[in-house]
């Protein structure tokens, strides 16, 4: 492989030990032994512009060369890359890895192969290695410089600013200006110098790895990201270009995408001479013909594009590499070309399951040394993105100065999997939640029908962009008009009532959905109308009365009229008890029964859950009126504890508390049953391979991550503990990111033994079932204690009762392959038949559920935690700032379901972003953090730090209280007794 001197330079540059061979090889293997015979020297230009020489046998397939390159780079995820060259027709051609190099290149001594990115994934968080992301960043740099990655000036300047930050570090006026003068990163760079330096100033402290992450985050949202245009014409002779992506075949006019044909809609791709044909699946609603025809320059152009389509389809859509077809005995028809290599699913599984030795590498163009000393466990999980720079969303939301619509949401490009700061469940980006203004791409273009499918856990971030930098007017007002604690207790009633009414409006939206659909079950319509319409009308009037008392012209918070909130509560609770029915649990049961019987109704429910207003699962909104009673009781308890018996509002508050406590007592059994039923219904959507989950008598107890010991070592698995069975799963590669069931252990007769000493694995224990036993390990001692205690309790329960059948696994799903696993026919009439199921298409927004948060944060929650979370809900205004920012941004914040949801104001219909809190810690800032404000609490997880500022001591304590209930498991004791507050 090259001359000794050249090899030493390359090894020093990227830090690759000579003995370490990876890429498409299994761990520990060296590159394949080349066939004997004459050697030929091949020159390969790397992405950092260095040229390396590799010696291979003339008869060796090109895969040998490709593996040598990947091993030389110490690249574990080499399958995203390829080798290309310019042939004698001046066309760029991909090297076929199955054929010898000399059969493809006529004059190898005069040809330079280029090692470049071939497959662009929808989400860069799927790239697990820092080196891989660095190489992708170099590809983006090349594409930007040559004009292939076209975008508006604002996006281009931001991209360049991240490249410069990676190469020279923090902004220095002289150094940065000189660097930009001597390095051209894009055409017409000179006119953008001021913009580039303006953004570069804001990247202080950002490491090269973080700069790569931000660069890819911005680039992947651009319309031309990863696009390689192939000139063509339609039947009328209009000049067009064809391209291929992970979603399907794209059609461009100039640099504007005018159409997209998703793989699920494409039945066949073929070419006849210079005609490229796309045969679509029958669709009565489509305006297109069954077969679309494009004219390309030649047969060779058609074939080159057809080949890359075959490879893109196989890489992103299949589970395994397609098997070669047997050669025909007499006649051949069409091309025998097929995709060679691992699919994306195989690459991700291989890297996660393998223990590669992490070797630091040097960035050739960067003056900053990269710290790549991550542990194998870190590499197995999704990479943690650092805090996004404050400029990112500002520049993207104003990306096109000519755009008539602009966004002031203050959203940013996003956080990684284990930051999980996510947008509302109904807006799809990544195959998931939108981070852009409705109807806009980062470049200000209207989106096409193409659906982006990226990590379900990468989503929007509320950045400091667009901050309202306050001058502490609120603080001055507080000091001028000091208020009693009772006012803030009453104000909690007001703020949470506003959120509750918004939640009820989701149900009214559901009613509207039902009304416009024909043939909806009358039982569902009747139950919802009779149970929720009067509740909504009642609480509209109640909220107005509370608002008038606290925020009316009487200036209640100054004059003290808030001291009469008990009379408002008493009157309305008595009215509520007289005029409203409480059959909300019955609605949940009937809706589930009807959805099983009616696919149309099931589709209506899914359609509603995809709306931005439906920021929680629909079933949770149905139970909101029951949960609201718990909030009223809590607020009244606080008022009664605060008031002295002589207070004018004490008697009314005490009477209201007695009434509400009686109502809660009557409904407590129903609440517990319905909460458990609702949770099991939600778990059904997260699991695949389950025959029947919601059966009478089964109770959910705990879910979370444990590592299962197997022949491959410890592998992360998601466990679900029910009252009769323990199920273990792994996250699948479907668009819905559902968890696929691997096995189950019936609880009857199960025993547990701590086995840390036996296996040498910390926090491990063995579960002995009647038919099998498994060894698992928790992430820490407290997690191990929670699991073992809950399992022992469940085992005792299973042995005392005759529980439901433990046969959970679906025999139809366990052994059968999905359509995507079956391979595709690699003839000239290419069959591209993989399509997602209806559930997967409609559940793409479910990548941010509690199950997925536990998976990425490596933690667990119990049913007791969920029950506590129902009562610990809170709403109100908070000021928020980042670790390195100065300004405070005023936000309306809703805490529910272990998450913070962020709004611009309480009048907004849906959240701008959310922050799941499982795994976070909540503390007060230390003196060294220099937060010189009152009532500030701090949320932090790994490197992510947020400061929140409340308006009073009471609200500060309440936010700390409810957030601790989400960040610290509240599952002990299992049964809690409520004390009388008097």
């Amino acid at each position: 492989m090259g001359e000794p001197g050249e090899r030493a330079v390359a090894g020093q540059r990227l830090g690759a030990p000579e003995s370490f061979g990876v890429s498409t090889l299994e761990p520990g293997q060296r590159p394949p032994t080349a066939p004997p015979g004459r050697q030929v020297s091949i020159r390969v230009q790397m992405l950092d512009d260095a040229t390396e020489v590799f010696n291979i046998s003339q008869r060796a397939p090109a895969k040998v060369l490709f593996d040598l390159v990947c091993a030389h780079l110490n690249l574990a995820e080499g399958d995203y890359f390829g080798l290309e060259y310019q042939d004698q027709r001046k066309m760029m051609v991909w090297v076929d890895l199955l054929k010898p190099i000399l059969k493809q290149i006529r004059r190898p001594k005069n040809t330079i192969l280029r090692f470049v990115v071939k497959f662009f994934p929808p989400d860069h968080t799927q790239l697990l290695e820092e080196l891989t992301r660095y190489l992708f960043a170099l590809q983006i740099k090349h594409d930007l410089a040559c004009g292939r990655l076209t975008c508006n000036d604002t996006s281009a300047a931001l991209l360049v600013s991240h490249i410069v930050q990676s190469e020279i570090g923090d902004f220095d006026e002289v150094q940065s200006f000189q660097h930009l003068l001597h390095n051209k990163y894009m055409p017409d760079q000179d006119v953008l110098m001021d913009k580039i330096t303006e953004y570069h100033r804001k990247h202080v402290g950002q490491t090269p790895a973080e700069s790569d992450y931000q660069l890819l985050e911005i680039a992947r949202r651009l319309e031309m990201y990863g696009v390689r245009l192939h000139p063509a014409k339609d039947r009328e002779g209009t000049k067009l270009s064809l391209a291929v992506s992970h979603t399907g075949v794209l059609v461009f006019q100039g640099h504007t995408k005018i159409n997209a044909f998703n793989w699920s809609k494409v039945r066949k791709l073929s070419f006849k001479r210079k005609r490229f044909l796309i045969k679509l699946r029958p669709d009565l609603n489509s305006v297109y013909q069954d077969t679309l025809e494009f004219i390309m320059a030649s047969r060779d152009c058609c074939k080159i594009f057809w080949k890359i389509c075959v490879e893109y389809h196989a890489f992103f859509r299949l589970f395994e590499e397609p098997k070669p077809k047997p050669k025909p005995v007499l006649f051949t028809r069409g091309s025998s070309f097929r995709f060679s290599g691992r699919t994306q699913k195989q690459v991700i599984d291989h890297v996660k399951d393998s223990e590669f030795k992490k070797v630091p590498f040097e960035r050739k163009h960067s003056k900053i040394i990269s710290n790549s000393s991550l542990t194998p466990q870190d590499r197995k999980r999704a990479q943690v993105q650092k805090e996004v720079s404050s400029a990112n969303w500002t520049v993207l939301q104003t990306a096109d100065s000519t755009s008539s619509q602009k966004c002031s949401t203050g959203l940013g490009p996003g956080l990684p999997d284990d930051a999980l700061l996510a947008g509302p469940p109904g807006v799809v980006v990544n195959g998931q939640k939108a981070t852009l203004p409705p109807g806009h791409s980062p470049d200000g273009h209207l989106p096409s029908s193409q659906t982006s499918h990226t990590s379900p856990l990468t989503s929007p971030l509320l950045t400091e962009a667009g901050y309202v930098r306050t001058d502490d007017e609120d603080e001055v007002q507080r000091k001028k008009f000091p208020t009693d604690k009772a006012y803030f207790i009453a104000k909690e009633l007001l703020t949470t009532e506003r959120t509750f009414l918004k939640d009820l409006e989701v149900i009214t939206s559901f009613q509207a959905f039902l009304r416009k659909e024909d043939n909806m079950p009358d039982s569902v319509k009747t139950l919802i109308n009779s149970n929720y319409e009067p509740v909504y009308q009642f609480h509209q009037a109640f909220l107005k009365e509370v608002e008038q008392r606290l925020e009316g012209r009487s200036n209640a918070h100054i004059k003290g009229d808030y001291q009469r909130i008990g009379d408002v509560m008493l009157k309305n609770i008595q009215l509520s008890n007289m005029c409203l029915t409480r059959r909300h649990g019955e609605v949940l049961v009937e809706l589930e029964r009807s959805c099983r019987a009616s696919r149309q109704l099931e589709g209506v429910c899914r359609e509603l859950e995809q709306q931005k207003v439906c920021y929680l699962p629909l079933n949770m909104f149905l139970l909101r009126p029951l949960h609201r009673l718990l909030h009223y009781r809590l607020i009244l308890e606080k008022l009664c504890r605060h008031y002295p018996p002589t207070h004018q509002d004490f008697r009314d508050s005490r009477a209201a508390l007695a009434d509400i406590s009686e109502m809660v007592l009557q409904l407590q059994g129903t609440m517990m049953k319905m909460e458990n039923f609702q949770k099991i219904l939600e778990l059904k959507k997260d699991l695949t391979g389950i025959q029947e989950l919601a059966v009478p008598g089964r109770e959910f107890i705990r879910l979370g991550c444990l590592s299962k010991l197997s022949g491959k070592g410890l592998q992360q698995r998601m466990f679900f503990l029910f009252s009769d069975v323990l199920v273990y799963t792994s996250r699948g590669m479907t668009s819905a990111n559902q968890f696929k069931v691997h096995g189950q252990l019936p609880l009857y007769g199960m025993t547990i033994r701590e086995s840390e000493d036996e296996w040498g694995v910390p926090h491990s224990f063995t579960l002995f079932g009647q038919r099998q036993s498994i060894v698992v390990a928790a992430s820490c001692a407290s997690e191990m204690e929670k699991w073992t205690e809950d399992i022992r309790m469940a085992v005792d329960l299973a042995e005392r009762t005759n529980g439901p059948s433990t046969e959970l696994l679906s025999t139809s799903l366990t052994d059968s392959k999905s359509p995507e696993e079956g391979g595709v026919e690699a003839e000239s009439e290419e069959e591209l038949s993989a399509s997602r199921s209806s559930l997967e298409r409609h559940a793409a927004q479910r990548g941010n559920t509690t199950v997925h948060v536990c998976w990425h944060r490596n933690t667990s929650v119990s049913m007791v935690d969920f029950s506590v979370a129902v009562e610990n809900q809170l709403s109100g205004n908070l000021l928020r700032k980042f670790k390195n920012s100065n300004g405070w941004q005023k936000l309306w914040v809703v805490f529910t379901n272990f998450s913070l949801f962020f709004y611009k104001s309480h009048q907004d219909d849906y959240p701008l972003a959310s922050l799941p809190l499982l795994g976070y810690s909540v503390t007060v800032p230390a003196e060294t953090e220099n937060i010189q404000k009152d009532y500030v609490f701090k949320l932090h997880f790994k490197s992510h730090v947020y400061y929140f500022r409340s308006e009073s001591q009471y609200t500060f304590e309440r936010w700390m209280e409810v957030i601790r209930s989400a960040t610290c498991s509240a599952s002990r004791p299992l049964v809690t007794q409520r004390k009388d507050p008097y």
Side-chain angles (χ1 to χ4, degrees):
M1 184 179 80
E3 297 299 323
E6 292 174 340
R7 183 170 59 192
V9 171
Q12 184 181 9
R13 177 175 57 82
L14 288 175
E18 183 180 353
S19 61
F20 192 74
V22 287
S23 182
T24 54
L25 310 176
E26 293 303 317
Q29 287 186 335
R30 294 186 58 81
T33 304
R38 185 179 175 184
Q39 299 280 301
V40 61
S41 296
I42 305 293
R43 288 185 295 166
V44 178
Q45 183 177 340
M46 303 298 183
L47 279 163
D48 60 3
D49 297 327
T51 300
E52 309 295 344
V53 180
F54 299 90
N55 293 327
I56 64 168
S57 168
Q58 289 183 339
R59 291 185 289 167
K63 188 175 185 300
V64 173
L65 172 63
F66 183 77
D67 287 338
L68 285 171
V69 176
C70 292
H72 171 73
L73 296 175
N74 190 27
L75 181 60
E77 298 171 289
D79 304 77
Y80 289 101
F81 301 82
L83 295 170
E84 67 174 0
Y85 66 97
Q86 191 176 56
D87 66 6
Q88 69 275 10
R89 301 159 297 182
K90 304 298 182 182
M91 298 173 62
M92 296 305 299
V93 180
W94 291 105
V95 171
D96 188 336
L97 299 183
L98 297 182
K99 295 180 180 179
I101 283 288
L102 290 188
K103 287 193 175 182
Q104 304 180 65
I105 303 174
R106 292 185 178 180
R107 304 173 67 185
K109 291 184 179 180
N110 299 328
T111 303
I112 298 179
L113 301 184
R114 296 174 57 221
F115 182 80
V116 294
V117 175
K118 186 174 186 178
F119 301 111
F120 288 81
D123 183 4
H124 55 94
T125 60
Q126 295 171 341
L127 307 174
L128 304 183
E129 295 283 330
E130 181 185 329
L131 173 60
T132 314
R133 291 195 294 274
Y134 167 56
L135 295 176
F136 265 75
L138 290 179
Q139 183 68 63
I140 297 301
K141 178 182 171 183
H142 278 283
D143 291 350
L144 188 64
C146 71
R148 177 184 283 164
L149 182 59
T150 57
C151 55
N152 60 62
D153 290 349
T154 309
S155 297
L158 184 56
L159 288 169
V160 172
S161 71
H162 284 297
I163 296 173
V164 175
Q165 174 71 21
S166 174
E167 294 187 353
I168 67 173
D170 292 346
F171 176 79
D172 175 270
E173 191 160 356
V174 176
Q175 182 188 21
S176 300
F177 185 75
Q178 291 295 326
H179 188 79
L180 286 170
L181 281 179
H182 293 92
N183 295 272
K184 295 297 181 184
Y185 297 105
M186 56 171 293
D188 301 324
Q189 178 176 298
D190 293 344
V191 299
L192 296 178
M193 291 279 277
D194 291 340
K195 242 180 186 179
I196 295 170
T197 54
E198 177 190 345
Y199 298 145
H200 186 198
R201 291 175 190 269
K202 300 179 181 180
H203 302 331
V204 175
Q206 190 169 283
T207 67
E210 292 165 343
S211 297
D212 292 344
Y213 200 103
Q214 296 298 333
L215 183 76
L216 297 176
E217 178 66 30
I218 297 162
R220 76 179 179 88
R221 301 171 187 273
L222 300 175
E223 194 160 74
M224 296 300 292
Y225 168 71
V227 169
R228 302 294 183 261
L229 297 178
H230 297 255
K233 294 180 181 179
D234 62 13
R235 287 180 175 176
E236 285 73 37
T238 305
K239 291 185 178 180
L240 303 169
S241 294
L242 300 180
V244 63
S245 75
H246 64 283
T247 60
V249 181
L250 314 178
V251 183
F252 285 81
Q253 192 163 28
H255 288 93
T256 302
K257 182 168 60 182
I258 61 173
N259 216 329
F261 300 100
N262 197 283
W263 294 126
S264 61
K265 298 178 181 178
V266 176
R267 189 165 70 87
K268 287 184 180 180
L269 293 179
S270 62
F271 64 94
K272 294 180 180 179
R273 296 184 177 87
K274 59 181 183 179
R275 292 183 299 140
F276 185 82
L277 306 173
I278 304 176
K279 187 171 290 187
L280 301 176
R281 297 183 183 281
D283 185 356
L284 297 178
N285 299 320
S286 175
V287 298
Y288 298 108
Q289 304 172 6
D290 289 345
T291 303
L292 301 175
E293 182 178 301
F294 298 90
I295 311 300
M296 306 189 81
S298 64
R299 180 186 182 278
D300 290 339
C301 293
C302 271
K303 187 171 184 180
I304 288 172
F305 182 62
W306 173 78
K307 281 185 174 182
I308 190 61
C309 289
V310 172
E311 293 184 310
Y312 250 84
H313 172 269
F315 184 76
F316 287 108
R317 298 282 287 182
L318 301 187
F319 286 172
E320 298 177 352
E321 175 184 358
K323 300 296 186 291
K325 284 189 172 184
K327 292 184 179 180
V329 179
L330 296 176
F331 303 103
T332 61
R333 179 179 178 271
S335 171
S336 61
F337 174 77
R338 69 179 179 88
F339 170 72
S340 171
R342 291 180 299 199
T343 65
Q344 187 190 34
K345 179 186 184 301
Q346 290 176 310
V347 175
I348 293 175
D349 290 346
H350 174 64
V351 175
K352 282 185 175 181
D353 294 342
S354 303
E355 297 294 338
F356 296 118
K357 181 180 178 183
K358 191 72 177 182
V359 180
F361 63 91
E362 180 183 347
R363 296 160 185 262
K364 180 181 178 183
H365 299 287
S366 179
K367 299 178 181 179
I368 306 165
I369 302 299
S370 172
N371 178 18
S372 302
S373 55
L374 298 178
T375 64
Q377 287 77 14
D378 292 331
R379 298 198 308 279
K380 280 188 174 181
R381 302 185 184 97
Q383 296 294 324
V384 180
Q385 177 190 2
K386 298 293 184 181
E387 253 180 36
V388 220
S389 94
S390 60
N392 285 1
W393 180 255
T394 306
V395 294
L396 289 183
Q397 76 175 35
T398 58
D400 193 340
S401 59
T402 62
S403 175
S404 60
Q405 299 183 35
K406 297 193 178 184
C407 173
S408 59
T409 60
L411 297 179
L415 279 181
D417 290 356
D418 50 0
L420 287 175
L421 190 59
V427 197
V428 178
V429 155
N430 310 342
Q432 70 253 12
K433 312 305 169 216
T435 60
L436 296 177
H440 285 268
S441 73
D443 275 344
H445 299 303
L446 289 174
S448 70
S449 59
Q450 179 186 1
T451 302
S452 174
H453 172 51
T454 56
S455 167
L457 295 171
T458 304
S459 45
L461 164 67
L462 283 167
T463 68
E464 79 173 288
Y467 264 3
V468 179
R469 299 189 179 267
T470 65
D471 55 2
D472 291 334
E473 289 180 0
D474 292 340
E475 190 170 344
V476 173
Q477 188 77 359
R478 286 200 306 271
K479 292 178 179 178
K480 186 176 179 181
F481 301 107
T483 49
D484 185 82
K485 180 179 178 180
Y487 166 68
F488 293 107
I489 298 174
K491 191 172 180 181
E492 181 178 336
L493 169 68
L494 170 64
T495 56
T496 53
E497 189 70 16
R498 283 170 171 164
T499 297
F500 175 57
L501 197 65
K502 286 290 185 182
D503 289 348
L504 288 178
E505 288 175 0
V506 175
I507 306 301
T508 62
S509 299
F510 186 40
Q511 290 177 281
F513 269 70
L514 293 177
R515 281 195 294 268
K516 73 178 184 180
E517 296 287 338
D518 297 329
N519 303 320
M520 287 291 102
D522 291 334
S523 59
V524 174
K525 286 183 179 179
T526 302
L527 278 173
I528 290 181
N529 289 335
S530 61
N531 278 277
Y532 292 95
E533 189 63 36
V535 172
Y536 178 67
Q537 294 174 359
F538 169 81
H539 282 280
Q540 271 188 316
F542 177 48
L543 175 60
K544 287 181 181 178
E545 192 168 357
V546 175
E547 285 178 333
Q548 180 63 32
R549 181 63 63 91
L550 293 180
E551 295 183 343
R553 293 182 179 179
S554 60
N555 289 324
H557 65 291
I558 300 172
K559 295 184 177 181
D561 290 348
Y562 58 83
Q563 295 179 4
R564 294 290 297 156
I565 196 67
D567 63 326
V568 177
M569 292 287 289
L570 177 61
K571 179 184 70 173
N572 284 279
I573 287 172
Q574 289 174 341
L575 284 173
S576 171
N577 198 21
M578 287 189 297
C579 71
L580 302 181
T581 59
R582 300 278 178 203
R583 300 171 61 195
H584 303 100
E586 188 178 333
V587 176
L588 187 63
V589 174
E590 178 60 27
L591 181 61
E592 169 63 13
R593 187 194 67 78
S594 299
C595 281
R596 292 188 180 191
S598 170
R599 285 179 174 257
Q600 185 181 4
L601 177 60
E602 184 183 18
V604 169
C605 294
R606 288 177 181 166
E607 184 179 353
L608 176 64
E609 286 196 325
Q610 291 180 7
Q611 303 302 307
K612 290 184 282 188
V613 296
C614 200
Y615 65 102
L616 297 172
L618 174 61
N619 289 338
M620 292 190 69
F621 291 105
L622 294 174
L623 296 180
R624 276 296 199 247
L626 298 178
H627 299 159
R628 188 60 177 149
L629 299 178
L630 301 177
H631 304 161
Y632 290 152
R633 183 178 66 178
L634 179 69
I635 290 169
L636 286 167
E637 285 176 351
K638 290 181 178 296
L639 275 175
C640 291
R641 280 197 295 265
H642 173 68
Y643 288 148
T646 56
H647 194 281
Q648 59 178 328
D649 203 36
F650 179 79
R651 179 174 295 181
D652 287 340
S653 299
R654 179 79 179 254
L657 177 58
D659 287 348
I660 205 75
S661 297
E662 183 178 354
M663 294 168 64
V664 170
L665 185 63
Q666 293 173 354
L667 293 166
Q668 194 164 13
T670 300
M671 283 188 191
M672 293 176 62
K673 290 179 181 178
M674 289 302 102
E675 286 171 14
N676 180 76
F677 183 56
Q678 186 269 330
K679 181 49 58 182
I680 287 181
L681 293 182
E682 280 307 300
L683 292 180
K684 277 178 59 179
K685 300 176 184 178
D686 282 313
L687 293 171
T688 181
I690 288 290
Q691 198 165 30
E692 185 55 66
L693 192 61
V695 297
R698 175 171 290 137
E699 295 182 16
F700 162 70
I701 298 174
R702 178 174 289 278
L703 66 85
C705 273
L706 292 171
S707 295
K708 181 176 175 291
L709 188 63
S710 67
K712 296 181 180 179
L714 287 173
Q715 295 180 308
Q716 185 179 358
R717 294 288 180 260
M718 180 64 76
F719 281 73
F720 298 84
L721 176 62
F722 300 96
S723 55
D724 60 322
V725 64
L726 178 67
V727 178
Y728 56 94
T729 68
S730 66
R731 195 173 70 159
M733 289 293 293
T734 67
S735 62
N737 285 326
Q738 290 174 293
F739 287 83
K740 182 179 180 180
V741 175
H742 283 270
Q744 59 177 338
L745 281 80
L747 297 185
Y748 186 82
M750 178 185 288
T751 57
I752 306 177
R753 184 180 73 205
E754 294 188 17
S755 49
E756 184 171 330
D757 296 335
E758 179 181 354
W759 296 101
V761 177
H763 319 306
S764 63
F765 53 98
T766 305
L767 301 173
F768 296 93
Q770 292 183 331
R771 289 179 289 184
Q772 69 174 117
S773 62
I774 60 173
V775 180
V776 294
S779 59
C780 60
S782 61
E783 280 291 305
M784 175 181 172
E785 180 185 357
K786 294 171 190 174
W787 275 107
T788 54
E789 185 173 337
D790 281 355
I791 292 174
R792 287 191 175 102
M793 177 202 68
V795 169
D796 290 342
L797 184 65
E799 292 181 347
R800 291 199 307 266
T801 60
N802 295 321
S805 168
T806 58
E807 291 303 318
L808 279 174
L809 293 188
S810 170
T811 54
S812 63
L813 292 177
T814 304
D815 301 318
S816 62
K817 290 184 177 181
S818 69
E820 295 186 6
E821 296 180 277
V824 289
E825 182 179 354
E827 298 291 336
S828 60
E829 292 274 282
E830 180 68 13
E831 180 66 38
L832 304 175
S833 60
S835 62
R836 292 187 176 89
S837 68
S838 174
L839 175 62
E840 291 173 343
R841 288 197 304 272
H842 291 286
Q845 76 273 20
R846 296 192 51 79
N848 204 27
T849 64
T850 304
V851 177
H852 290 84
V853 177
C854 287
W855 172 262
H856 287 278
R857 303 270 172 84
N858 199 16
T859 187
S860 69
V861 292
S862 70
M863 189 62 227
V864 176
D865 297 327
F866 284 107
S867 298
V868 170
V870 162
E871 190 165 347
N872 284 323
Q873 300 186 32
L874 197 59
S875 306
N877 285 310
L878 287 174
L879 297 174
R880 201 271 332 265
K881 76 180 287 291
F882 292 122
K883 179 170 56 177
N884 297 321
S885 64
N886 295 320
W888 292 84
Q889 184 182 23
K890 189 175 183 180
L891 298 168
W892 176 260
V893 183
V894 174
F895 171 78
T896 186
N897 199 34
F898 307 108
S899 299
L900 293 177
F901 294 89
F902 301 101
Y903 303 72
K904 289 178 65 181
S905 75
H906 70 83
Q907 297 171 330
D908 290 358
D909 291 328
Y910 54 85
L912 301 172
S914 67
L915 178 64
L917 296 180
L918 291 173
Y920 267 76
S921 297
V922 57
T923 59
V924 293
E927 289 186 10
T928 55
E929 295 174 86
N930 200 29
I931 305 294
Q932 298 175 348
K933 301 292 181 182
D934 296 331
Y935 317 131
V936 175
F937 60 92
K938 171 185 173 183
L939 277 171
H940 50 100
F941 172 75
K942 295 186 177 180
S943 62
H944 303 279
V945 178
Y946 308 94
Y947 299 101
F948 293 91
R949 191 167 137 215
S950 53
E951 62 177 341
S952 69
Q953 182 66 28
Y954 172 80
T955 52
F956 167 77
E957 292 172 354
R958 281 293 288 142
W959 280 106
M960 290 282 284
E961 178 185 352
V962 298
I963 289 175
R964 279 189 176 131
S965 72
T967 57
C968 304
S969 177
S971 60
R972 301 295 178 268
L974 287 174
V975 179
T976 57
Q977 296 268 338
R978 178 171 292 278
K979 295 181 180 179
D980 193 323
Y982 320 114

